Amino acid sequence: MRNHDITELRRQDVAHHLPAQANYRLIADMGGSRIITRAEGSTIWDGDGNAILDGMAGLWCVDVGYGRKELAEVAYEQMLELPYYNSFFRTATVPAIALAAKVAGLLGGELQHIFFNSSGSEANDTVFRLVRHYWTLKGRPERCIFISRHNAYHGSTVAGASLGGMAAMHAQGGLPIPGIEHVMQPYAFNEGFGEEAEAFAARAADAVEARILAVGPDNVAAFIGEPVQGAGGVIVPPPGYWPRVEAICRKYGILLVSDEVICGFGRLGRWFGFQHFGYTPDIVAMAKGLSSGYLPISATAVSREIVETLRASDRDFVHGYTYSGHPVSAAVALRNLEIIEREKLVDRVAHDIGPHFARAVASLDDHPLVGETRTCGLLGAIEIVAEKGTNRRFGGAEGAAGPVVRDACIAGGLMVRAIRDSIVMCPPFVITHAEVDRMVAILRAALDEAAPALAALETAAEKQEGGR
């Protein structure tokens, strides 16, 4: 433990540091960010000495938990041997090649070629450029339109944010860029409340086909989707949705892209989300769990047919990054995958901690503020509603209740995220049964604590409505 001057760090945070996706005025008014100083297992500590159970695995990524000494050691060893070299100039490094072979083996089937990047956003930028380049090489440059979903998240770069369907992101920077269409998400609680699951699955999938027909099948390059929409609020699609979407893509000869940045590497109890839901993509974007967040690295897996088309051309694919295939990141990622295999963590998610997590989260269904709980592997969400048995929101609009409950959770020692009125969770694979039970106990206490403030919010909204 280091003796940090937290007061000075907070001052410097406001004076010099711009955190990601933040309200800078709010951070300045607060006198700086919460300073996280250390972590072990599934727990983080802040500069004030508070121990906080990390219900978000960092940012959907610290799968093997914090404090893995062997990951630090393999980084050290690789830095001494070869700290960096690029993958330009027809060169490659040993760790990058070994990691590519390992990931290809886990993917199986036709997904045998891996392009490395540094972030999930870069992985999806690679998808964007690769798909359009592929269709140009096939003599079909008009096939340039991507179809994605409202409320999807595919990164924060210009291309990634455009592929995503987040209205707040589109409002900044003149997004989305042309050539991207968005359709309804398979969010039954909001968009199919009370609807039979099979009918809703068909309706949500049919929206994809309807948009294909609207823009012209010969103009569509690919459909991209997350197996479970993570940053959208842990939106778990109904049974049958993904096979229907795949069938539609095959019907019109459209590439199918699975964004596994969150769902990949065991999060859903299979190595990849497409394996869990039973579909076969042409391209897979991945990151986060690839290194458990210990070093920045991501990857884009590409089918043999696409690579054969690239190889048949004598043109360079003029795309890549300084840190594509960074040897230290690749070495750490390779060891991280070895840990997941050695400790049978994917199996643990599927058959042990995942089912326990599902039962524990479902125990909150009886709370008067909870409209729905949902889990898939070690992803979970709780919907907060103003009236039990409905999907009506506090104050008549989404987003008022979630932050209140989230803040109560954090004050109670649990780090979770509020996405509108959903409290979402994504704990490390190594979390214990007792820690899961403690998560749910804190959640229940936070809901109880938030109830009076939410009731006051509802009363104020009703008075405002009555005064109009």
Side-chain angles (χ1 to χ4, degrees):
M1 294 177 59
R2 301 179 186 178
N3 187 24
H4 299 287
D5 184 340
I6 299 302
T7 300
E8 176 60 13
L9 283 168
R10 287 200 178 106
R11 187 197 68 77
Q12 291 181 10
D13 181 52
V14 173
H16 305 294
H17 180 220
L18 294 177
Q21 298 205 12
N23 181 324
Y24 298 129
R25 177 176 178 177
L26 177 60
I27 289 176
D29 289 346
M30 291 169 55
S33 305
R34 179 189 297 272
I35 312 298
I36 304 301
T37 56
R38 65 187 181 96
E40 184 70 27
S42 298
T43 302
I44 57 176
W45 281 264
D46 68 17
D48 297 318
N50 297 306
I52 305 169
L53 187 57
D54 189 5
M56 283 304 300
L59 194 62
W60 320 87
C61 58
V62 188
D63 294 349
V64 300
Y66 298 96
R68 293 284 188 162
K69 186 177 179 180
E70 66 179 290
L71 294 182
E73 290 172 341
V74 76
Y76 173 76
E77 292 164 1
Q78 183 60 47
M79 283 184 179
L80 292 180
E81 183 175 302
L82 180 67
Y84 169 75
Y85 203 70
N86 65 74
S87 59
F88 292 49
F89 318 140
R90 295 196 295 273
T91 62
T93 66
V94 173
I97 294 170
L99 181 61
K102 181 64 179 179
V103 172
L106 295 173
L107 288 160
E110 295 297 302
L111 293 162
Q112 293 300 300
H113 303 276
I114 314 297
F115 190 107
F116 288 116
N117 315 277
S118 297
S119 68
S121 297
E122 290 179 4
N124 281 318
D125 265 28
T126 299
V127 168
F128 187 80
R129 294 196 63 198
L130 177 64
V131 166
R132 287 187 165 182
H133 181 54
Y134 164 79
W135 283 115
T136 297
L137 292 178
K138 298 283 281 186
R140 302 292 303 278
E142 72 279 4
R143 296 200 82 152
C144 61
I145 294 175
F146 278 76
I147 295 179
S148 179
R149 300 177 295 197
H150 295 299
N151 203 33
Y153 185 80
H154 299 297
S156 293
T157 58
V158 169
S162 296
L163 286 171
M166 300 283 185
M169 299 185 80
H170 289 174
Q172 297 177 354
L175 305 181
I177 58 177
I180 300 171
E181 301 282 327
H182 294 91
V183 300
M184 71 175 287
Q185 58 186 324
Y187 186 8
F189 190 79
N190 254 27
E191 301 184 27
F193 190 79
E195 191 173 347
E196 196 273 331
E198 184 176 352
F200 180 71
R203 183 162 67 87
D206 288 349
V208 177
E209 183 168 29
R211 191 58 57 89
I212 291 170
L213 294 173
V215 301
D218 290 343
N219 298 318
V220 180
F223 173 84
I224 183 169
E226 306 153 83
V228 172
Q229 287 171 240
V234 181
I235 307 305
V236 182
Y241 170 80
W242 270 113
R244 285 177 179 271
V245 169
E246 180 181 13
I248 290 166
C249 290
R250 302 306 171 214
K251 178 179 178 180
Y252 297 104
I254 293 164
L255 295 177
L256 178 56
V257 182
S258 191
D259 181 343
E260 303 266 357
V261 169
I262 287 174
C263 295
F265 303 104
R267 178 56 58 182
L268 305 187
R270 298 288 298 272
W271 275 102
F272 295 96
F274 71 82
Q275 296 165 344
H276 175 84
F277 286 106
Y279 63 98
T280 303
D282 301 290
I283 300 176
V284 175
M286 54 199 120
K288 297 191 184 289
L290 178 55
S291 70
S292 283
Y294 274 66
L295 279 177
I297 187 168
S298 65
T300 304
V302 187
S303 72
R304 285 191 179 99
E305 194 277 331
I306 293 173
V307 172
E308 286 170 2
T309 299
L310 298 178
R311 288 176 172 171
S313 168
D314 63 354
R315 296 171 58 185
D316 288 354
F317 179 43
V318 286
H319 175 79
Y321 306 96
T322 299
Y323 301 121
S324 292
H326 192 289
V328 182
S329 295
V332 169
L334 188 60
R335 183 63 60 86
N336 172 68
L337 298 180
E338 290 175 7
I339 291 171
I340 293 173
E341 284 188 312
R342 184 176 72 232
E343 298 183 7
K344 297 181 172 56
L345 294 181
V346 178
D347 185 70
R348 183 172 191 264
V349 172
H351 302 297
D352 178 15
I353 195 63
H356 182 78
F357 176 70
R359 290 188 296 269
V361 173
S363 73
L364 294 169
D365 279 323
D366 66 354
H367 197 282
L369 296 184
V370 174
E372 177 182 82
T373 62
R374 52 182 179 266
T375 57
C376 187
L378 276 182
L379 287 175
I382 298 166
E383 292 276 3
I384 303 166
V385 294
E387 182 181 354
K388 194 77 171 173
T390 75
N391 63 354
R392 188 168 67 82
R393 307 297 184 174
F394 279 97
E398 279 193 286
V404 177
V405 178
R406 174 204 62 203
D407 291 349
C409 285
I410 296 172
L414 172 65
M415 183 62 70
V416 291
R417 186 174 178 183
I419 298 177
R420 301 178 309 279
D421 289 324
S422 295
I423 301 299
V424 301
M425 297 155 281
C426 176
F429 296 175
V430 297
I431 194 169
T432 66
H433 285 225
E435 287 173 328
V436 167
D437 294 342
R438 182 151 58 90
M439 281 181 63
V440 172
I442 294 171
L443 281 160
R444 184 175 289 276
L447 289 164
D448 290 342
E449 181 183 333
L454 296 180
L457 176 69
E458 185 75 354
T459 300
E462 289 172 355
K463 287 182 178 178
Q464 184 177 7
E465 184 66 25
R468 289 177 180 170

